Amino acid sequence: METIVILDFGSQFTQLIARRVRECGVYCEIHPYNITEEKFAELKPKGIILSGGPSSVYAADAPIPVFNVFDYAVKNGVPLLGVCYGLQLMAYQLGGEVNKSAKREYGRAEVIINVPDVLFEGIGEHSIVWMSHGDSLTKLPDNFEVIAHTENAPICCVRNNEIKIWGVQFHPEVHHTADGKIILNNFVKKICGCAGDWDAEHFIDNKIKEIRETVGTGGVICALSGGVDSTVAAVLLHKAIGDQLHCIHVDSGLMRTEESATIERLFREHFSMSIDVVDASELFLSRLDGISDPEQKRKIIGKTFIDVFEVEAKKFRDSAFLAQGTLYPDVIESVSVKGPSVTIKSHHNVGGLPETMNLKLIEPFRELFKDEVRNVGRTLGIPDWFVDRHPFPGPGLAIRVLSEVSDDRLSILRRVDDIYLDEIHKAGLYNDIWQAFAVLLPVQSVGVMGDERTYEYVCALRAVTSTDGMTADWYPMPYDVLARMSSRIINEVRGVNRVTYDISSKPPATIEWE
């Protein structure tokens, strides 16, 4: 499979580079800047992109690859594109100079193309780009030439045709760069020579072959949460290996109203697949008793899922694998190395399994974003009404109760969430929103009901728009809809007397509160 490899130097936009490249129909992966040359070579990249980052190349602790990536690119004839910090690193290591800018450049800028180049095919002489840098190139490496500039950056875009290396000071991956997708498309297809035929059907065909080769004649246990990711994974696995698949749904007691019953009915009636439902709610709630720290909650829930599956797996002695619906953002957010994106929160379905289980992991969507999984689901024939369901976190409602988890608090939150989603559906807004949910805050406020003083919980409503969950904007819920939601929640849910609406974007906030 043709692969573009992105080396991550800590930019908040690194994931967007991957998204834009994949939108061009070309598969790509993000790896930390300190990947070894051996592992890097195993990826057999058709092209290399060096991301931006917050560091200065001349700083003592600047992130520098552990092998000479430029030498690798030249020796193997692999084109390379440096973005922002990636451009500066390239210039610095190849004999140019980088210094503090006389005037830092953040936000929109007009780039003027000096020299026609394949990177800019289909773009006019002037274009709007997005800048975010405090350092600039002040001297080019030998045999490089300037191909574009801005008013503040005389050396904005450079190339060395002979060794197939390009660099841009701006961020082509962000929406604000008007022709950014054209630039990336030119790089991966016209410069790197990628066919651009990577799509859902291509992914399914390759993954089915891979699953069959990996599994052989053994069995696979699928951890089925009932969300989009694990459901699409289960349908894909069933298409690949049929009755060798054993689906297990664990009712953790942290689900939404009637969620487990709905999942069981859906798989048996719509997909004609067998499913074992395990009620482990008492075990989960007992282990969460007295725990309020969100990281502790996630780790306890993750371990408890594994413990339950360890018991259930013994019923299927032919099984050598455990399948999960892990996504690429889960992997990215759970990785922490110096330079690239810090660990935001751990994900209970990212990592290894206890040796005592003697199971190997199968994660068919480990390299996909959420919208890509949805496309796979549609291609597999899963109905839109299910594929378009809002994401639901693996730890369930435990991370939406922002305090110790209890039956009482979970019950209150379920009723609030039911009303919230019901009103969103009635208003015809569900498909306009990436994710909507309610949060029960560890706060009580004074209110008045029937001329009597109340002291009850505050709940927050959250709704965001996004394409992949890596970034998100808060959804501008109509005031009349908010009014109906608030009125119903306060009138119908005993224990809540105040409703708030969250207008935080990601970043700086995350989508989930915990």
Side-chain angles (χ1 to χ4, degrees), residues 225-229 231 249-263 370 374 385-386 388-398 400 410-411 413-421 425 430 434-438 512:
S225 70
V228 173
D229 309 328
T231 297
H249 169 71
V250 175
D251 182 353
S252 63
L254 307 170
M255 312 295 288
R256 291 170 292 197
T257 304
E258 295 297 318
E259 185 83 358
S260 292
T262 301
I263 292 165
K370 188 78 172 188
R374 287 190 167 122
W385 67 264
F386 187 86
D388 291 331
R389 292 181 82 193
H390 291 179
F392 186 68
L397 299 179
R400 294 178 180 174
L410 288 169
S411 179
L413 181 57
R414 286 191 186 98
R415 292 199 296 273
V416 171
D417 204 57
D418 288 345
I419 293 170
Y420 182 35
L421 293 179
H425 278 291
Y430 188 83
W434 163 268
Q435 189 173 2
F437 57 91
E512 295 284 349

Side-chain angles (χ1 to χ4, degrees), residues 287-298 300 398-405 409 442 513-514:
R287 291 189 177 182
L288 288 168
D289 185 40
I291 304 298
S292 59
D293 179 78
E295 274 296 285
Q296 280 189 275
K297 287 182 187 177
R298 286 178 175 272
I300 288 170
I399 59 169
R400 294 178 180 174
V401 173
L402 304 193
S403 58
E404 296 178 14
V405 179
R409 293 188 180 111
W513 281 43
E514 289 189 350

Side-chain angles (χ1 to χ4, degrees), residues 25-278:
V26 178
Y27 178 69
C28 71
E29 292 184 3
I30 299 170
H31 289 274
Y33 73 88
N34 54 5
I35 184 175
T36 65
E37 184 170 6
E38 292 74 22
K39 289 184 178 179
F40 187 83
E42 289 173 3
L43 300 170
K44 298 179 180 178
K46 287 276 288 184
I48 303 167
I49 298 177
L50 308 183
S51 84
S55 302
S56 294
V57 292
Y58 45 75
D61 60 349
I64 305 291
V66 297
F67 69 98
N68 191 324
V69 65
F70 307 105
D71 188 51
Y72 175 94
V74 173
K75 284 183 177 178
N76 293 278
V78 180
L80 183 147
L81 173 66
V83 174
C84 198
Y85 178 88
L87 162 68
Q88 295 163 14
L89 178 69
M90 175 192 74
Y92 187 71
Q93 290 204 312
L94 295 180
E97 292 183 6
V98 178
N99 292 286
K100 287 286 186 185
S101 299
K103 178 183 177 183
R104 293 181 300 176
E105 197 168 20
Y106 297 99
R108 294 178 187 272
E110 182 181 48
V111 68
I112 301 167
I113 298 171
N114 302 3
V115 179
D117 187 85
V118 64
L119 194 66
F120 299 134
E121 281 188 14
I123 299 173
E125 184 180 342
H126 299 250
S127 187
I128 299 300
V129 298
W130 189 261
M131 294 286 196
S132 180
H133 66 100
D135 295 344
S136 295
L137 270 66
T138 53
K139 178 186 174 183
L140 284 175
D142 291 342
N143 301 317
F144 277 77
E145 63 178 318
V146 178
I147 58 175
H149 71 280
T150 68
E151 181 180 356
N152 190 53
I155 305 177
C156 180
C157 306
V158 305
R159 75 177 179 192
N160 183 326
N161 267 331
E162 186 179 343
I163 58 175
K164 297 183 179 180
I165 292 181
W166 283 258
V168 296
Q169 185 62 75
F170 57 84
H171 288 274
E173 67 273 21
V174 302
H175 173 73
H176 305 292
T177 295
D179 298 309
K181 188 172 180 180
I182 296 176
I183 292 170
L184 289 172
N185 189 70
N186 287 340
F187 177 72
V188 299
K189 291 183 180 176
K190 297 181 179 180
I191 294 175
C192 299
C194 295
D197 59 358
W198 188 76
D199 56 17
E201 289 185 6
H202 187 269
F203 172 84
I204 290 168
D205 291 342
N206 284 340
K207 193 57 67 172
I208 285 175
K209 291 176 185 176
E210 180 186 312
I211 291 169
R212 287 172 178 167
E213 289 174 2
T214 301
V215 173
T217 59
V220 177
I221 296 172
C222 181
L224 188 62
S225 70
V228 173
D229 309 328
S230 63
T231 297
V232 178
V235 174
L236 175 64
L237 284 158
H238 192 257
K239 186 177 180 68
I241 59 174
D243 292 340
Q244 290 171 248
L245 177 68
H246 309 295
C247 292
I248 300 175
H249 169 71
V250 175
D251 182 353
S252 63
L254 307 170
M255 312 295 288
R256 291 170 292 197
T257 304
E258 295 297 318
E259 185 83 358
S260 292
T262 301
I263 292 165
E264 184 176 10
R265 186 168 58 252
L266 178 71
F267 270 79
R268 288 182 175 165
E269 296 178 4
H270 185 85
F271 299 124
S272 299
M273 292 168 57
S274 63
I275 175 175
D276 285 3
V277 178
V278 180

Side-chain angles (χ1 to χ4, degrees), residues 345-496:
K345 54 192 175 185
S346 62
H347 291 261
H348 73 275
N349 59 340
V350 175
L353 295 172
E355 292 181 5
T356 54
M357 285 191 71
N358 294 317
L359 294 177
K360 299 176 182 178
L361 274 178
I362 289 183
E363 296 172 310
F365 303 144
R366 191 178 176 87
E367 64 265 38
L368 297 190
F369 289 94
K370 188 78 172 188
D371 56 319
E372 293 171 328
V373 173
R374 287 190 167 122
N375 288 336
V376 170
R378 292 187 183 95
T379 304
L380 288 170
I382 300 175
D384 284 347
W385 67 264
F386 187 86
V387 171
D388 291 331
R389 292 181 82 193
H390 291 179
F392 186 68
L397 299 179
I399 59 169
R400 294 178 180 174
V401 173
L402 304 193
S403 58
E404 296 178 14
V405 179
S406 68
D407 276 327
D408 180 56
R409 293 188 180 111
L410 288 169
S411 179
I412 291 172
L413 181 57
R414 286 191 186 98
R415 292 199 296 273
V416 171
D417 204 57
D418 288 345
I419 293 170
Y420 182 35
L421 293 179
D422 182 51
E423 289 297 328
I424 287 175
H425 278 291
K426 286 179 178 177
L429 303 176
Y430 188 83
N431 289 334
D432 296 335
I433 298 170
W434 163 268
Q435 189 173 2
F437 57 91
V439 178
L440 190 66
L441 304 184
V443 174
Q444 289 180 287
S445 69
V446 174
V448 57
M449 293 181 179
D451 295 327
E452 292 185 1
R453 179 186 185 276
T454 62
Y455 190 59
E456 297 179 336
Y457 286 110
V458 178
C459 72
L461 306 181
R462 176 82 157 138
V464 298
T465 57
S466 182
T467 57
D468 50 37
M470 298 306 302
T471 59
D473 291 321
W474 61 275
Y475 181 76
M477 194 74 69
Y479 288 159
D480 60 327
V481 178
L482 280 173
R484 288 196 298 272
M485 293 169 175
S486 177
S487 177
R488 280 194 62 191
I489 290 168
I490 292 172
N491 285 326
E492 297 177 27
V493 182
R494 186 177 296 277
V496 174

